[in-house]
Coordinates of all heavy atoms in Angstrom, one line a residue:
E108 N 3.3 -10.2 -2.5 CA 2.6 -10.9 -1.4 C 3.0 -10.3 -0.1 O 2.1 -10.2 0.8 CB 3.1 -12.4 -1.5 CG 2.3 -13.2 -0.6 CD 2.5 -14.7 -0.8 OE1 2.4 -15.1 -1.9 OE2 2.8 -15.4 0.2
L109 N 4.2 -9.9 0.2 CA 4.6 -9.2 1.4 C 3.8 -8.0 1.6 O 3.3 -7.7 2.7 CB 6.1 -8.9 1.4 CG 7.0 -10.1 1.6 CD1 8.4 -9.6 1.5 CD2 6.8 -10.7 3.0
F110 N 3.5 -7.2 0.5 CA 2.8 -6.0 0.6 C 1.3 -6.3 1.0 O 0.8 -5.6 1.8 CB 2.9 -5.2 -0.7 CG 2.3 -3.9 -0.7 CD1 2.9 -2.9 0.1 CD2 1.1 -3.6 -1.3 CE1 2.3 -1.6 0.2 CE2 0.5 -2.4 -1.2 CZ 1.1 -1.4 -0.5
E111 N 0.7 -7.3 0.4 CA -0.6 -7.6 0.7 C -0.8 -8.0 2.2 O -1.7 -7.7 2.9 CB -1.1 -8.8 -0.1 CG -1.3 -8.4 -1.6 CD -1.7 -9.5 -2.5 OE1 -2.5 -10.4 -2.1 OE2 -1.2 -9.6 -3.6
D112 N 0.2 -8.8 2.7 CA 0.3 -9.2 4.1 C 0.4 -8.0 5.0 O -0.2 -7.9 6.1 CB 1.4 -10.2 4.4 CG 1.2 -11.5 3.7 OD1 0.1 -11.9 3.3 OD2 2.2 -12.2 3.6
F113 N 1.2 -7.1 4.6 CA 1.4 -5.8 5.4 C 0.1 -5.1 5.5 O -0.3 -4.7 6.6 CB 2.5 -4.9 4.7 CG 2.4 -3.5 5.2 CD1 3.0 -3.2 6.4 CD2 1.9 -2.5 4.4 CE1 3.0 -1.9 6.9 CE2 1.9 -1.2 4.9 CZ 2.4 -0.9 6.1
L114 N -0.6 -4.9 4.4 CA -1.9 -4.1 4.5 C -2.9 -4.9 5.2 O -3.8 -4.3 5.9 CB -2.4 -3.8 3.0 CG -1.6 -2.6 2.4 CD1 -2.2 -2.4 1.0 CD2 -1.8 -1.3 3.2
S115 N -3.0 -6.2 5.1 CA -4.0 -7.0 5.8 C -3.8 -7.0 7.3 O -4.7 -7.1 8.0 CB -3.9 -8.4 5.3 OG -4.3 -8.4 3.9
S116 N -2.5 -6.8 7.7 CA -2.3 -6.8 9.2 C -2.2 -5.4 9.8 O -2.1 -5.3 11.0 CB -0.9 -7.5 9.4 OG 0.2 -6.8 8.9
A117 N -2.3 -4.4 9.0 CA -2.3 -3.0 9.6 C -3.6 -2.7 10.3 O -4.7 -2.6 9.7 CB -2.1 -2.0 8.4
R118 N -3.5 -2.6 11.6 CA -4.7 -2.5 12.4 C -5.2 -1.1 12.3 O -4.4 -0.1 12.2 CB -4.3 -2.8 13.9 CG -4.0 -4.2 14.1 CD -3.9 -4.6 15.5 NE -3.5 -5.9 15.7 CZ -4.4 -6.9 15.8 NH1 -5.7 -6.7 15.7 NH2 -4.0 -8.1 16.0
N119 N -6.5 -0.9 12.4 CA -7.1 0.5 12.4 C -7.0 1.2 11.1 O -7.2 2.5 11.1 CB -6.6 1.3 13.5 CG -6.9 0.7 14.9 OD1 -7.9 0.1 15.1 ND2 -5.9 0.9 15.8
V120 N -6.6 0.6 10.0 CA -6.5 1.2 8.7 C -7.9 0.9 8.1 O -8.3 -0.2 7.8 CB -5.4 0.7 7.9 CG1 -5.5 1.3 6.5 CG2 -4.0 1.0 8.5
F121 N -8.6 2.0 7.8 CA -9.9 1.9 7.1 C -9.8 2.0 5.6 O -10.6 1.4 4.9 CB -10.9 3.0 7.6 CG -11.0 3.1 9.1 CD1 -10.9 4.3 9.7 CD2 -11.1 1.9 9.9 CE1 -11.1 4.4 11.1 CE2 -11.2 2.0 11.2 CZ -11.2 3.2 11.9
R122 N -8.8 2.8 5.2 CA -8.7 3.0 3.7 C -7.3 3.2 3.4 O -6.5 3.9 4.1 CB -9.6 4.1 3.2 CG -9.5 4.3 1.8 CD -10.6 5.3 1.3 NE -10.6 5.2 -0.1 CZ -11.4 5.9 -0.9 NH1 -12.3 6.7 -0.3 NH2 -11.4 5.8 -2.1
A123 N -6.8 2.7 2.2 CA -5.5 2.9 1.8 C -5.5 3.1 0.2 O -6.3 2.5 -0.4 CB -4.5 1.7 2.1
K124 N -4.7 4.0 -0.3 CA -4.7 4.3 -1.7 C -3.3 4.8 -2.1 O -2.7 5.5 -1.4 CB -5.7 5.3 -2.0 CG -5.9 5.5 -3.5 CD -7.1 6.5 -3.8 CE -7.4 6.6 -5.2 NZ -8.5 7.3 -5.6
G125 N -2.8 4.3 -3.2 CA -1.5 4.7 -3.6 C -0.9 4.0 -4.8 O -1.6 3.2 -5.4
I126 N 0.3 4.4 -5.2 CA 1.0 3.8 -6.3 C 2.3 3.4 -5.7 O 3.1 4.2 -5.1 CB 1.2 4.8 -7.4 CG1 -0.1 5.3 -8.0 CG2 2.1 4.2 -8.6 CD1 0.0 6.5 -9.0
V127 N 2.6 2.1 -5.7 CA 3.7 1.5 -5.1 C 4.4 0.5 -6.0 O 3.9 -0.1 -6.9 CB 3.3 0.8 -3.7 CG1 2.7 1.7 -2.8 CG2 2.3 -0.4 -4.0
A128 N 5.7 0.3 -5.7 CA 6.5 -0.7 -6.4 C 6.3 -2.0 -5.6 O 6.4 -2.0 -4.4 CB 8.0 -0.3 -6.4
T129 N 5.9 -3.0 -6.4 CA 5.6 -4.3 -5.7 C 6.5 -5.4 -6.4 O 7.2 -5.2 -7.4 CB 4.2 -4.7 -5.9 OG1 3.8 -4.9 -7.2 CG2 3.3 -3.6 -5.3
D130 N 6.3 -6.7 -5.9 CA 7.0 -7.8 -6.6 C 6.2 -8.4 -7.6 O 6.5 -9.5 -8.1 CB 7.4 -8.8 -5.5 CG 6.3 -9.4 -4.7 OD1 5.1 -8.9 -5.0 OD2 6.5 -10.2 -3.9
A131 N 5.1 -7.7 -8.1 CA 4.3 -8.3 -9.2 C 5.0 -8.2 -10.4 O 6.0 -7.4 -10.6 CB 3.0 -7.4 -9.3
E132 N 4.6 -8.9 -11.4 CA 5.3 -8.9 -12.7 C 5.3 -7.6 -13.4 O 6.1 -7.3 -14.2 CB 4.7 -10.0 -13.6 CG 3.2 -9.7 -14.0 CD 2.6 -10.8 -14.9 OE1 2.3 -11.8 -14.3 OE2 2.4 -10.5 -16.1
W133 N 4.4 -6.7 -13.1 CA 4.3 -5.3 -13.7 C 5.0 -4.3 -12.8 O 5.0 -3.1 -13.2 CB 2.9 -5.0 -14.0 CG 2.0 -5.0 -12.8 CD1 1.9 -4.1 -11.8 CD2 1.0 -6.1 -12.5 NE1 1.0 -4.6 -10.8 CE2 0.4 -5.7 -11.2 CE3 0.7 -7.3 -13.1 CZ2 -0.5 -6.6 -10.6 CZ3 -0.2 -8.1 -12.5 CH2 -0.8 -7.7 -11.3
V134 N 5.5 -4.6 -11.7 CA 6.3 -3.8 -10.8 C 5.5 -2.7 -10.1 O 5.2 -2.7 -8.9 CB 7.6 -3.2 -11.3 CG1 8.4 -2.4 -10.3 CG2 8.5 -4.4 -11.9
W135 N 5.1 -1.7 -10.9 CA 4.3 -0.5 -10.3 C 2.9 -0.9 -10.3 O 2.3 -1.3 -11.3 CB 4.6 0.8 -11.1 CG 6.0 1.3 -10.9 CD1 7.1 1.1 -11.6 CD2 6.4 2.0 -9.7 NE1 8.1 1.7 -11.1 CE2 7.7 2.3 -9.9 CE3 5.8 2.5 -8.6 CZ2 8.5 3.0 -8.9 CZ3 6.5 3.2 -7.6 CH2 7.8 3.4 -7.8
S136 N 2.3 -0.7 -9.1 CA 0.9 -1.1 -8.9 C 0.1 0.0 -8.3 O 0.5 0.8 -7.5 CB 0.8 -2.3 -8.0 OG 1.5 -3.4 -8.5
V137 N -1.2 0.0 -8.6 CA -2.2 0.9 -7.9 C -2.8 0.1 -6.8 O -3.3 -1.0 -7.1 CB -3.3 1.4 -8.9 CG1 -4.4 2.2 -8.2 CG2 -2.7 2.1 -10.1
V138 N -2.9 0.7 -5.6 CA -3.4 0.0 -4.5 C -4.6 0.6 -3.9 O -4.6 1.9 -3.8 CB -2.3 -0.1 -3.4 CG1 -2.9 -0.7 -2.1 CG2 -1.1 -0.8 -3.8
H139 N -5.7 -0.1 -3.7 CA -6.9 0.4 -3.1 C -7.3 -0.6 -2.0 O -7.4 -1.8 -2.3 CB -8.1 0.5 -4.1 CG -7.9 1.5 -5.2 ND1 -8.2 2.8 -5.0 CD2 -7.4 1.3 -6.4 CE1 -7.9 3.4 -6.2 NE2 -7.4 2.5 -7.0
L140 N -7.5 -0.1 -0.8 CA -8.0 -0.9 0.3 C -9.2 -0.1 0.9 O -9.0 1.0 1.4 CB -6.9 -1.1 1.4 CG -7.4 -1.7 2.7 CD1 -7.7 -3.2 2.4 CD2 -6.3 -1.6 3.8
V141 N -10.3 -0.8 0.9 CA -11.6 -0.1 1.4 C -12.4 -1.3 2.1 O -12.6 -2.3 1.4 CB -12.4 0.5 0.3 CG1 -13.7 1.1 0.9 CG2 -11.7 1.6 -0.4
G142 N -12.8 -1.1 3.3 CA -13.6 -2.0 4.0 C -13.1 -3.4 4.0 O -13.8 -4.4 3.9
G143 N -11.8 -3.6 4.1 CA -11.2 -4.9 4.1 C -10.9 -5.5 2.8 O -10.3 -6.6 2.7
R144 N -11.4 -4.8 1.7 CA -11.2 -5.4 0.4 C -10.0 -4.7 -0.2 O -9.9 -3.5 -0.3 CB -12.4 -5.2 -0.5 CG -13.6 -6.1 -0.1 CD -14.7 -5.9 -1.0 NE -15.5 -4.9 -0.1 CZ -16.6 -4.4 -0.5 NH1 -17.0 -4.5 -1.7 NH2 -17.3 -3.6 0.3
L145 N -9.0 -5.5 -0.7 CA -7.8 -5.1 -1.2 C -7.7 -5.3 -2.7 O -8.0 -6.5 -3.1 CB -6.6 -5.7 -0.6 CG -5.2 -5.4 -1.0 CD1 -4.9 -3.9 -0.8 CD2 -4.2 -6.3 -0.3
A146 N -7.4 -4.3 -3.5 CA -7.3 -4.5 -5.0 C -5.9 -3.9 -5.4 O -5.5 -2.8 -5.0 CB -8.4 -3.7 -5.7
I147 N -5.1 -4.7 -6.0 CA -3.8 -4.3 -6.5 C -3.8 -4.5 -8.0 O -4.0 -5.6 -8.5 CB -2.7 -5.1 -5.9 CG1 -2.7 -4.8 -4.4 CG2 -1.3 -4.7 -6.5 CD1 -1.7 -5.6 -3.6
T148 N -3.7 -3.4 -8.8 CA -3.8 -3.5 -10.3 C -2.6 -2.9 -10.9 O -1.9 -2.0 -10.3 CB -5.1 -2.9 -10.8 OG1 -5.1 -1.5 -10.4 CG2 -6.3 -3.6 -10.3
P149 N -2.2 -3.2 -12.1 CA -1.1 -2.6 -12.8 C -1.2 -1.1 -12.9 O -2.3 -0.6 -13.2 CB -1.1 -3.2 -14.2 CG -1.8 -4.5 -14.0 CD -2.9 -4.3 -13.0
Y150 N -0.2 -0.3 -12.8 CA -0.2 1.1 -13.0 C 0.3 1.4 -14.4 O 1.4 0.8 -14.8 CB 0.8 1.8 -11.9 CG 0.9 3.3 -12.2 CD1 -0.1 4.1 -12.0 CD2 2.1 3.8 -12.6 CE1 0.0 5.5 -12.2 CE2 2.3 5.1 -12.9 CZ 1.2 6.0 -12.6 OH 1.3 7.3 -12.8
E151 N -0.4 2.2 -15.1 CA -0.1 2.4 -16.5 C 0.4 3.8 -16.9 O 0.5 4.1 -18.0 CB -1.3 2.0 -17.4 CG -1.6 0.5 -17.2 CD -2.8 0.0 -18.0 OE1 -3.4 0.9 -18.7 OE2 -3.2 -1.1 -17.9
G152 N 0.6 4.6 -15.9 CA 1.0 6.0 -16.2 C 2.6 6.1 -16.2 O 3.2 5.1 -16.3
A153 N 3.0 7.3 -16.2 CA 4.5 7.6 -16.2 C 5.1 7.0 -14.9 O 4.5 7.0 -13.9 CB 4.7 9.1 -16.3
K154 N 6.3 6.5 -15.1 CA 6.9 5.8 -14.0 C 7.2 6.8 -12.8 O 7.9 7.8 -12.9 CB 8.3 5.2 -14.4 CG 9.0 4.5 -13.3 CD 10.3 3.9 -13.9 CE 11.0 3.2 -12.7 NZ 12.3 2.7 -13.2
P155 N 6.7 6.5 -11.7 CA 6.9 7.3 -10.5 C 8.3 7.3 -10.0 O 9.0 6.3 -10.2 CB 5.9 6.8 -9.4 CG 5.0 5.8 -10.1 CD 5.7 5.4 -11.3
K156 N 8.7 8.4 -9.3 CA 10.1 8.4 -8.7 C 10.2 7.5 -7.4 O 11.2 7.0 -7.1 CB 10.5 9.8 -8.4 CG 10.6 10.6 -9.6 CD 11.1 12.0 -9.3 CE 11.2 12.8 -10.6 NZ 11.5 14.2 -10.3
E157 N 9.0 7.4 -6.7 CA 9.0 6.6 -5.5 C 7.6 6.2 -5.2 O 6.6 6.7 -5.8 CB 9.5 7.4 -4.3 CG 8.7 8.7 -4.0 CD 9.3 9.5 -2.9 OE1 10.5 9.5 -2.7 OE2 8.6 10.2 -2.2
S158 N 7.5 5.2 -4.3 CA 6.2 4.7 -3.9 C 5.5 5.7 -3.0 O 6.1 6.4 -2.2 CB 6.3 3.4 -3.1 OG 6.8 2.4 -3.9
T159 N 4.2 5.8 -3.2 CA 3.3 6.7 -2.3 C 2.1 6.0 -1.9 O 1.4 5.3 -2.7 CB 2.9 8.0 -3.1 OG1 4.1 8.6 -3.6 CG2 2.1 8.9 -2.3
L160 N 1.9 6.0 -0.6 CA 0.7 5.3 0.0 C 0.1 6.2 1.0 O 0.8 6.7 1.9 CB 1.1 3.9 0.6 CG 0.0 3.1 1.1 CD1 -0.9 2.6 0.0 CD2 0.6 1.9 1.8
V161 N -1.2 6.4 0.9 CA -1.9 7.2 1.9 C -2.8 6.2 2.7 O -3.6 5.4 2.1 CB -2.8 8.3 1.2 CG1 -3.7 9.0 2.2 CG2 -2.0 9.2 0.4
L162 N -2.7 6.3 4.0 CA -3.5 5.4 4.9 C -4.5 6.3 5.7 O -4.1 7.3 6.2 CB -2.6 4.7 5.9 CG -1.6 3.8 5.3 CD1 -0.7 3.2 6.4 CD2 -2.2 2.7 4.4
I163 N -5.7 5.9 5.8 CA -6.7 6.6 6.6 C -7.2 5.6 7.6 O -7.6 4.5 7.3 CB -7.9 7.1 5.7 CG1 -7.4 8.0 4.7 CG2 -9.0 7.7 6.6 CD1 -8.5 8.4 3.6
G164 N -7.2 6.1 8.9 CA -7.6 5.2 9.9 C -7.8 5.9 11.2 O -7.9 7.1 11.3
K165 N -7.8 5.1 12.3 CA -8.0 5.7 13.6 C -6.8 5.2 14.6 O -6.5 4.1 14.5 CB -9.3 5.2 14.2 CG -9.7 5.7 15.6 CD -11.0 5.2 16.0 CE -11.4 5.8 17.4 NZ -12.7 5.3 17.8
N166 N -6.3 6.2 15.3 CA -5.2 5.9 16.2 C -4.0 5.2 15.5 O -3.5 4.2 16.1 CB -5.7 5.1 17.4 CG -6.8 5.8 18.2 OD1 -6.7 7.1 18.4 ND2 -7.8 5.1 18.6
L167 N -3.6 5.7 14.4 CA -2.6 5.0 13.7 C -1.2 5.5 14.2 O -1.0 6.6 14.6 CB -2.6 5.5 12.2 CG -3.8 5.0 11.4 CD1 -3.8 5.5 10.0 CD2 -4.0 3.5 11.5
D168 N -0.3 4.5 14.4 CA 1.0 4.8 14.9 C 1.9 5.0 13.7 O 2.4 4.1 13.1 CB 1.5 3.6 15.7 CG 2.8 3.8 16.3 OD1 3.6 4.7 15.9 OD2 3.1 3.1 17.3
E169 N 2.1 6.3 13.4 CA 2.9 6.6 12.2 C 4.3 6.0 12.2 O 4.7 5.5 11.2 CB 3.0 8.2 12.1 CG 3.7 8.6 10.8 CD 3.7 10.1 10.7 OE1 3.0 10.8 11.4 OE2 4.4 10.6 9.8
A170 N 5.0 6.1 13.3 CA 6.3 5.5 13.3 C 6.3 4.0 13.1 O 7.2 3.5 12.3 CB 7.0 5.8 14.7
A171 N 5.4 3.3 13.7 CA 5.3 1.8 13.5 C 5.0 1.5 12.0 O 5.5 0.6 11.5 CB 4.3 1.2 14.5
L172 N 4.0 2.3 11.4 CA 3.7 2.0 10.1 C 4.8 2.3 9.1 O 5.1 1.5 8.2 CB 2.5 2.8 9.6 CG 1.2 2.4 10.3 CD1 0.1 3.5 10.1 CD2 0.7 1.1 9.7
H173 N 5.6 3.4 9.3 CA 6.8 3.6 8.6 C 7.8 2.5 8.6 O 8.3 2.1 7.7 CB 7.5 5.0 8.9 CG 6.9 6.2 8.2 ND1 7.2 6.5 7.0 CD2 6.0 7.1 8.7 CE1 6.5 7.6 6.7 NE2 5.8 8.0 7.7
G174 N 8.0 2.0 9.9 CA 9.0 1.0 10.1 C 8.5 -0.3 9.4 O 9.4 -1.0 8.8
A175 N 7.2 -0.6 9.5 CA 6.7 -1.8 8.9 C 6.8 -1.8 7.4 O 7.1 -2.7 6.7 CB 5.3 -2.1 9.4
F176 N 6.5 -0.6 6.8 CA 6.5 -0.5 5.4 C 7.9 -0.5 4.8 O 8.1 -1.0 3.7 CB 5.9 0.9 5.0 CG 5.6 1.1 3.5 CD1 4.7 0.3 2.9 CD2 6.3 2.0 2.8 CE1 4.4 0.4 1.5 CE2 6.1 2.2 1.4 CZ 5.1 1.4 0.8
E177 N 8.9 -0.1 5.6 CA 10.3 -0.2 5.0 C 10.7 -1.6 4.9 O 11.6 -2.0 4.1 CB 11.3 0.5 6.0 CG 11.1 2.0 6.0 CD 12.0 2.7 7.0 OE1 12.8 1.9 7.7 OE2 11.9 3.9 7.0
H178 N 10.1 -2.6 5.5 CA 10.5 -4.0 5.5 C 9.7 -4.8 4.5 O 9.8 -6.0 4.3 CB 10.4 -4.6 6.9 CG 11.3 -4.1 7.8 ND1 11.0 -3.1 8.7 CD2 12.7 -4.3 8.0 CE1 12.1 -2.8 9.4 NE2 13.1 -3.5 9.0
V179 N 8.8 -4.1 3.7 CA 8.0 -4.8 2.8 C 8.7 -4.8 1.4 O 9.3 -3.9 1.0 CB 6.6 -4.1 2.6 CG1 5.8 -4.7 1.5 CG2 5.9 -4.2 3.9

């Protein structure tokens, strides 16, 4: 839920995609954000070593996004 709130509040993010550890019952999740629509589904591949998330947007503040993501 914190992760969903984080993505919903990220200004100027047009698209997001990645594999991240979440608080969902399945832990590792595939994340897709396009046009304000967010989908989080179970990841079924080999266990990743770390979360990876790519954000596409305009005038993104990389330092602010890194800081916000660390608290999710």
Side-chain angles (χ1 to χ4, degrees):
E108 189 170 309
L109 286 173
F110 187 71
E111 291 177 40
D112 291 343
F113 164 76
L114 282 178
S115 297
S116 67
R118 298 190 180 270
N119 299 324
V120 175
F121 307 137
R122 185 166 187 180
K124 187 172 187 175
I126 299 171
V127 298
T129 64
D130 60 357
E132 64 184 73
W133 54 79
V134 182
W135 287 99
S136 302
V137 176
V138 175
H139 293 278
L140 172 70
V141 179
R144 285 179 266 173
L145 177 63
I147 300 176
T148 57
Y150 175 70
E151 298 178 0
K154 183 179 176 182
K156 294 181 181 178
E157 61 184 25
S158 293
T159 303
L160 184 65
V161 176
L162 302 175
I163 299 171
K165 183 177 180 181
N166 299 322
L167 299 178
D168 183 340
E169 185 176 348
L172 288 168
H173 274 281
F176 190 66
E177 288 176 3
H178 295 98
V179 174

